Amino acid sequence: TTLEHMKNLLIFKCCDAYQDRKINTNPNSPLYHHPLSGILPKFPSNVQTILISHNLIGGEIPLQWCEMTKLFKLNLVSLPNVSSMLPACLGNVTTLTGIVLDDMYGVHGKIPWGSTSDEVNNLSDWYNNNGWVHLLKQREAGDFSLHIHGTSLTGNALPSIFPKKCRLDVLRITDAPYLGGIISPTISNCKIRDLQLRSVSLLHGDFPSKEICNMCDIQYLIVDGYHNFTRSSIAWFREN
């Protein structure tokens, strides 16, 4: 349950083991014959990368991960025994540049976007607020990318307000039938290069056509037909 004693550990990658097509038959690699079980471990604070995929490890995402001050990348892929909400405090990890949640149907609850400085009433609220919206702010770590595919998340797919000088580079939310909400016109605050919203069927309201058209950095834009945007806003986008 803990690897905190491994002070020199920088990258944790495991294990692509439980699917037959990924089992390693090398007799010198017993780990691949026996899928990793147990619960998601705690790590030393200097770990930079966590890549855990295709295994039987379970439990909740530890709050201790929020204390990893050098965490750069977090990828969780196809872990059927994980049942967890997303810790809001990950938004305080200023070094994070990417989160991937793929085929993680045990991940539930809401994306804890939290509030931007434009939405809180005073400085106390701002400093005490946790939320992933902070991952989109301009910071030393650079641009941020978020990939969410195949989860049980509910609520708003996107933050209600995107922060000024937003550093969101890649946003891909797919196969998310329980996520919805609106796309705020403040999305134009971001320099998004790759925006994909597919099978996010509860999206509604006006599609911010003009704002997205004015996003000079965008290179890839995919929004499929599984949504409830107003017809007039979609028509304007198609015509222009």
Side-chain angles (χ1 to χ4, degrees):
T1 61
T2 180
L3 299 175
E4 292 176 281
H5 60 285
M6 302 177 68
K7 300 299 183 182
N8 295 321
L9 182 66
L10 296 179
I11 298 175
F12 182 83
K13 182 177 181 180
C14 189
C15 294
D16 287 351
Y18 83 87
Q19 293 181 337
D20 289 340
R21 65 183 177 86
K22 297 199 174 191
I23 290 179
N24 190 328
T25 57
N26 184 342
N28 296 319
S29 301
L31 177 62
Y32 291 91
H33 289 282
H34 305 284
L36 189 69
S37 58
I39 63 174
L40 291 169
K42 298 178 180 179
F43 294 102
S45 61
N46 60 317
V47 164
Q48 299 174 4
T49 303
I50 299 175
L51 307 173
I52 307 176
S53 65
H54 298 96
N55 227 285
L56 299 181
I57 195 167
E60 297 184 345
I61 298 173
L63 293 178
Q64 183 267 347
W65 290 7
C66 300
E67 301 170 8
M68 298 167 60
T69 56
K70 297 183 179 180
L71 185 61
F72 178 74
K73 182 184 295 184
L74 172 59
N75 289 16
L76 301 178
V77 178
S78 193
L79 303 174
N81 289 346
V82 169
S83 178
S84 179
M85 299 179 70
L86 298 175
C89 57
L90 282 175
N92 296 330
V93 183
T94 58
T95 53
L96 258 177
T97 61
I99 295 177
V100 174
L101 301 169
D102 188 357
D103 191 22
M104 295 289 294
Y105 289 97
V107 173
H108 56 273
K110 297 181 179 181
I111 302 176
W113 288 115
S115 303
T116 68
S117 57
D118 299 321
E119 295 177 288
V120 295
N121 295 321
N122 53 59
L123 284 176
S124 176
D125 289 339
W126 169 243
Y127 287 118
N128 291 328
N129 176 63
N130 287 322
W132 285 24
V133 72
H134 298 308
L135 297 172
L136 314 184
K137 292 179 58 184
Q138 188 170 13
R139 56 212 173 91
E140 293 182 2
D143 296 338
F144 181 74
S145 63
L146 177 64
H147 302 244
I148 296 178
H149 171 83
T151 70
S152 297
L153 290 166
T154 60
N156 292 329
L158 305 172
S160 56
I161 295 179
F162 289 85
K164 297 176 181 178
K165 297 182 179 180
C166 170
R167 294 294 296 271
L168 183 60
D169 178 52
V170 177
L171 176 62
R172 297 177 182 174
I173 300 180
T174 59
D175 189 17
Y178 310 115
L179 284 174
I182 66 168
I183 302 180
S184 168
T186 58
I187 194 171
S188 61
N189 291 339
C190 305
K191 295 183 177 182
I192 299 178
R193 179 177 52 86
D194 184 342
L195 174 61
Q196 299 185 31
L197 299 171
R198 293 184 284 118
S199 296
V200 189
S201 53
L202 297 182
L203 285 172
H204 61 273
D206 287 338
F207 183 75
S209 302
K210 296 179 181 180
E211 289 79 7
I212 287 180
C213 284
N214 290 331
M215 292 168 61
C216 300
D217 296 275
I218 198 159
Q219 299 176 16
Y220 304 98
L221 173 63
I222 300 177
V223 180
D224 66 12
Y226 294 95
H227 57 71
N228 289 294
F229 293 125
T230 59
R231 292 185 178 182
S232 59
S233 63
I234 292 295
W236 190 95
F237 186 76
R238 289 173 175 171
E239 293 169 2
N240 293 274

PDB file of all heavy atoms in Angstrom, residues 224-240:
ATOM      1  N   ASP A 224     -18.992  15.471 -32.038  1.00  0.00           N
ATOM      2  CA  ASP A 224     -19.922  14.619 -32.791  1.00  0.00           C
ATOM      3  C   ASP A 224     -21.365  15.023 -32.527  1.00  0.00           C
ATOM      4  O   ASP A 224     -21.655  16.043 -31.888  1.00  0.00           O
ATOM      5  CB  ASP A 224     -19.674  13.140 -32.493  1.00  0.00           C
ATOM      6  CG  ASP A 224     -19.979  12.752 -31.047  1.00  0.00           C
ATOM      7  OD1 ASP A 224     -20.590  13.568 -30.317  1.00  0.00           O
ATOM      8  OD2 ASP A 224     -19.614  11.643 -30.630  1.00  0.00           O
ATOM      9  N   GLY A 225     -22.304  14.233 -33.018  1.00  0.00           N
ATOM     10  CA  GLY A 225     -23.718  14.583 -32.936  1.00  0.00           C
ATOM     11  C   GLY A 225     -24.407  14.220 -31.648  1.00  0.00           C
ATOM     12  O   GLY A 225     -25.610  14.451 -31.492  1.00  0.00           O
ATOM     13  N   TYR A 226     -23.673  13.652 -30.693  1.00  0.00           N
ATOM     14  CA  TYR A 226     -24.292  13.236 -29.425  1.00  0.00           C
ATOM     15  C   TYR A 226     -24.247  14.389 -28.424  1.00  0.00           C
ATOM     16  O   TYR A 226     -23.389  14.445 -27.534  1.00  0.00           O
ATOM     17  CB  TYR A 226     -23.594  12.002 -28.871  1.00  0.00           C
ATOM     18  CG  TYR A 226     -23.776  10.781 -29.738  1.00  0.00           C
ATOM     19  CD1 TYR A 226     -22.827  10.441 -30.690  1.00  0.00           C
ATOM     20  CD2 TYR A 226     -24.912   9.977 -29.619  1.00  0.00           C
ATOM     21  CE1 TYR A 226     -22.997   9.325 -31.497  1.00  0.00           C
ATOM     22  CE2 TYR A 226     -25.090   8.860 -30.422  1.00  0.00           C
ATOM     23  CZ  TYR A 226     -24.129   8.557 -31.354  1.00  0.00           C
ATOM     24  OH  TYR A 226     -24.299   7.446 -32.161  1.00  0.00           O
ATOM     25  N   HIS A 227     -25.176  15.333 -28.570  1.00  0.00           N
ATOM     26  CA  HIS A 227     -25.239  16.490 -27.686  1.00  0.00           C
ATOM     27  C   HIS A 227     -26.626  17.111 -27.812  1.00  0.00           C
ATOM     28  O   HIS A 227     -27.464  16.672 -28.604  1.00  0.00           O
ATOM     29  CB  HIS A 227     -24.159  17.503 -28.055  1.00  0.00           C
ATOM     30  CG  HIS A 227     -24.226  17.965 -29.479  1.00  0.00           C
ATOM     31  ND1 HIS A 227     -25.223  18.793 -29.970  1.00  0.00           N
ATOM     32  CD2 HIS A 227     -23.434  17.697 -30.547  1.00  0.00           C
ATOM     33  CE1 HIS A 227     -25.044  19.022 -31.240  1.00  0.00           C
ATOM     34  NE2 HIS A 227     -23.970  18.363 -31.638  1.00  0.00           N
ATOM     35  N   ASN A 228     -26.868  18.147 -27.005  1.00  0.00           N
ATOM     36  CA  ASN A 228     -28.141  18.866 -27.047  1.00  0.00           C
ATOM     37  C   ASN A 228     -27.911  20.367 -27.207  1.00  0.00           C
ATOM     38  O   ASN A 228     -28.624  21.180 -26.620  1.00  0.00           O
ATOM     39  CB  ASN A 228     -28.951  18.584 -25.769  1.00  0.00           C
ATOM     40  CG  ASN A 228     -29.482  17.166 -25.730  1.00  0.00           C
ATOM     41  OD1 ASN A 228     -30.326  16.784 -26.532  1.00  0.00           O
ATOM     42  ND2 ASN A 228     -28.974  16.367 -24.798  1.00  0.00           N
ATOM     43  N   PHE A 229     -26.909  20.740 -28.009  1.00  0.00           N
ATOM     44  CA  PHE A 229     -26.687  22.153 -28.279  1.00  0.00           C
ATOM     45  C   PHE A 229     -27.868  22.717 -29.070  1.00  0.00           C
ATOM     46  O   PHE A 229     -28.535  22.001 -29.826  1.00  0.00           O
ATOM     47  CB  PHE A 229     -25.401  22.352 -29.085  1.00  0.00           C
ATOM     48  CG  PHE A 229     -24.145  21.999 -28.336  1.00  0.00           C
ATOM     49  CD1 PHE A 229     -23.244  21.096 -28.861  1.00  0.00           C
ATOM     50  CD2 PHE A 229     -23.863  22.585 -27.106  1.00  0.00           C
ATOM     51  CE1 PHE A 229     -22.086  20.768 -28.182  1.00  0.00           C
ATOM     52  CE2 PHE A 229     -22.710  22.257 -26.413  1.00  0.00           C
ATOM     53  CZ  PHE A 229     -21.818  21.348 -26.956  1.00  0.00           C
ATOM     54  N   THR A 230     -28.099  24.001 -28.910  1.00  0.00           N
ATOM     55  CA  THR A 230     -29.177  24.631 -29.676  1.00  0.00           C
ATOM     56  C   THR A 230     -28.850  24.568 -31.166  1.00  0.00           C
ATOM     57  O   THR A 230     -27.698  24.714 -31.578  1.00  0.00           O
ATOM     58  CB  THR A 230     -29.359  26.103 -29.257  1.00  0.00           C
ATOM     59  OG1 THR A 230     -28.130  26.806 -29.466  1.00  0.00           O
ATOM     60  CG2 THR A 230     -29.747  26.198 -27.789  1.00  0.00           C
ATOM     61  N   ARG A 231     -29.889  24.341 -31.947  1.00  0.00           N
ATOM     62  CA  ARG A 231     -29.683  24.190 -33.386  1.00  0.00           C
ATOM     63  C   ARG A 231     -29.130  25.449 -34.027  1.00  0.00           C
ATOM     64  O   ARG A 231     -28.307  25.395 -34.940  1.00  0.00           O
ATOM     65  CB  ARG A 231     -31.009  23.803 -34.049  1.00  0.00           C
ATOM     66  CG  ARG A 231     -31.494  22.400 -33.665  1.00  0.00           C
ATOM     67  CD  ARG A 231     -32.753  22.045 -34.446  1.00  0.00           C
ATOM     68  NE  ARG A 231     -33.204  20.703 -34.123  1.00  0.00           N
ATOM     69  CZ  ARG A 231     -34.260  20.123 -34.692  1.00  0.00           C
ATOM     70  NH1 ARG A 231     -34.961  20.784 -35.618  1.00  0.00           N
ATOM     71  NH2 ARG A 231     -34.607  18.902 -34.345  1.00  0.00           N
ATOM     72  N   SER A 232     -29.570  26.600 -33.539  1.00  0.00           N
ATOM     73  CA  SER A 232     -29.117  27.856 -34.136  1.00  0.00           C
ATOM     74  C   SER A 232     -27.620  28.057 -33.964  1.00  0.00           C
ATOM     75  O   SER A 232     -26.934  28.537 -34.873  1.00  0.00           O
ATOM     76  CB  SER A 232     -29.889  29.034 -33.533  1.00  0.00           C
ATOM     77  OG  SER A 232     -29.699  29.085 -32.116  1.00  0.00           O
ATOM     78  N   SER A 233     -27.080  27.679 -32.784  1.00  0.00           N
ATOM     79  CA  SER A 233     -25.653  27.879 -32.546  1.00  0.00           C
ATOM     80  C   SER A 233     -24.828  26.917 -33.391  1.00  0.00           C
ATOM     81  O   SER A 233     -23.740  27.276 -33.873  1.00  0.00           O
ATOM     82  CB  SER A 233     -25.311  27.704 -31.057  1.00  0.00           C
ATOM     83  OG  SER A 233     -25.580  26.378 -30.620  1.00  0.00           O
ATOM     84  N   ILE A 234     -25.307  25.707 -33.579  1.00  0.00           N
ATOM     85  CA  ILE A 234     -24.599  24.749 -34.430  1.00  0.00           C
ATOM     86  C   ILE A 234     -24.693  25.174 -35.895  1.00  0.00           C
ATOM     87  O   ILE A 234     -23.715  25.070 -36.649  1.00  0.00           O
ATOM     88  CB  ILE A 234     -25.189  23.340 -34.251  1.00  0.00           C
ATOM     89  CG1 ILE A 234     -24.879  22.814 -32.842  1.00  0.00           C
ATOM     90  CG2 ILE A 234     -24.642  22.378 -35.293  1.00  0.00           C
ATOM     91  CD1 ILE A 234     -23.407  22.592 -32.565  1.00  0.00           C
ATOM     92  N   ALA A 235     -25.856  25.690 -36.290  1.00  0.00           N
ATOM     93  CA  ALA A 235     -26.036  26.125 -37.677  1.00  0.00           C
ATOM     94  C   ALA A 235     -25.052  27.251 -38.022  1.00  0.00           C
ATOM     95  O   ALA A 235     -24.466  27.263 -39.112  1.00  0.00           O
ATOM     96  CB  ALA A 235     -27.466  26.580 -37.899  1.00  0.00           C
ATOM     97  N   TRP A 236     -24.882  28.214 -37.093  1.00  0.00           N
ATOM     98  CA  TRP A 236     -23.940  29.310 -37.336  1.00  0.00           C
ATOM     99  C   TRP A 236     -22.529  28.769 -37.555  1.00  0.00           C
ATOM    100  O   TRP A 236     -21.799  29.208 -38.447  1.00  0.00           O
ATOM    101  CB  TRP A 236     -23.923  30.276 -36.157  1.00  0.00           C
ATOM    102  CG  TRP A 236     -23.162  31.537 -36.428  1.00  0.00           C
ATOM    103  CD1 TRP A 236     -23.639  32.729 -36.847  1.00  0.00           C
ATOM    104  CD2 TRP A 236     -21.730  31.696 -36.291  1.00  0.00           C
ATOM    105  NE1 TRP A 236     -22.619  33.640 -36.997  1.00  0.00           N
ATOM    106  CE2 TRP A 236     -21.440  33.038 -36.672  1.00  0.00           C
ATOM    107  CE3 TRP A 236     -20.681  30.864 -35.916  1.00  0.00           C
ATOM    108  CZ2 TRP A 236     -20.135  33.547 -36.657  1.00  0.00           C
ATOM    109  CZ3 TRP A 236     -19.390  31.363 -35.922  1.00  0.00           C
ATOM    110  CH2 TRP A 236     -19.128  32.680 -36.270  1.00  0.00           C
ATOM    111  N   PHE A 237     -22.157  27.785 -36.740  1.00  0.00           N
ATOM    112  CA  PHE A 237     -20.796  27.214 -36.847  1.00  0.00           C
ATOM    113  C   PHE A 237     -20.615  26.537 -38.202  1.00  0.00           C
ATOM    114  O   PHE A 237     -19.578  26.696 -38.854  1.00  0.00           O
ATOM    115  CB  PHE A 237     -20.581  26.216 -35.705  1.00  0.00           C
ATOM    116  CG  PHE A 237     -19.191  25.674 -35.637  1.00  0.00           C
ATOM    117  CD1 PHE A 237     -18.151  26.446 -35.138  1.00  0.00           C
ATOM    118  CD2 PHE A 237     -18.906  24.391 -36.078  1.00  0.00           C
ATOM    119  CE1 PHE A 237     -16.863  25.947 -35.088  1.00  0.00           C
ATOM    120  CE2 PHE A 237     -17.628  23.885 -36.016  1.00  0.00           C
ATOM    121  CZ  PHE A 237     -16.593  24.658 -35.516  1.00  0.00           C
ATOM    122  N   ARG A 238     -21.613  25.793 -38.636  1.00  0.00           N
ATOM    123  CA  ARG A 238     -21.515  25.089 -39.917  1.00  0.00           C
ATOM    124  C   ARG A 238     -21.457  26.048 -41.097  1.00  0.00           C
ATOM    125  O   ARG A 238     -20.760  25.795 -42.079  1.00  0.00           O
ATOM    126  CB  ARG A 238     -22.700  24.142 -40.076  1.00  0.00           C
ATOM    127  CG  ARG A 238     -22.651  22.935 -39.144  1.00  0.00           C
ATOM    128  CD  ARG A 238     -23.937  22.132 -39.242  1.00  0.00           C
ATOM    129  NE  ARG A 238     -23.850  20.911 -38.445  1.00  0.00           N
ATOM    130  CZ  ARG A 238     -24.894  20.108 -38.214  1.00  0.00           C
ATOM    131  NH1 ARG A 238     -26.099  20.411 -38.722  1.00  0.00           N
ATOM    132  NH2 ARG A 238     -24.759  19.016 -37.476  1.00  0.00           N
ATOM    133  N   GLU A 239     -22.162  27.156 -40.963  1.00  0.00           N
ATOM    134  CA  GLU A 239     -22.247  28.095 -42.080  1.00  0.00           C
ATOM    135  C   GLU A 239     -21.032  29.016 -42.172  1.00  0.00           C
ATOM    136  O   GLU A 239     -20.809  29.633 -43.220  1.00  0.00           O
ATOM    137  CB  GLU A 239     -23.520  28.932 -41.943  1.00  0.00           C
ATOM    138  CG  GLU A 239     -24.801  28.120 -42.115  1.00  0.00           C
ATOM    139  CD  GLU A 239     -26.049  28.887 -41.708  1.00  0.00           C
ATOM    140  OE1 GLU A 239     -25.884  30.072 -41.327  1.00  0.00           O
ATOM    141  OE2 GLU A 239     -27.141  28.306 -41.758  1.00  0.00           O
ATOM    142  N   ASN A 240     -20.304  29.111 -41.098  1.00  0.00           N
ATOM    143  CA  ASN A 240     -19.187  30.058 -41.076  1.00  0.00           C
ATOM    144  C   ASN A 240     -17.832  29.356 -40.932  1.00  0.00           C
ATOM    145  O   ASN A 240     -16.833  30.018 -40.776  1.00  0.00           O
ATOM    146  CB  ASN A 240     -19.377  31.070 -39.942  1.00  0.00           C
ATOM    147  CG  ASN A 240     -20.562  31.971 -40.173  1.00  0.00           C
ATOM    148  OD1 ASN A 240     -20.445  32.996 -40.836  1.00  0.00           O
ATOM    149  ND2 ASN A 240     -21.722  31.580 -39.643  1.00  0.00           N
TER     150      ASN A 240
END
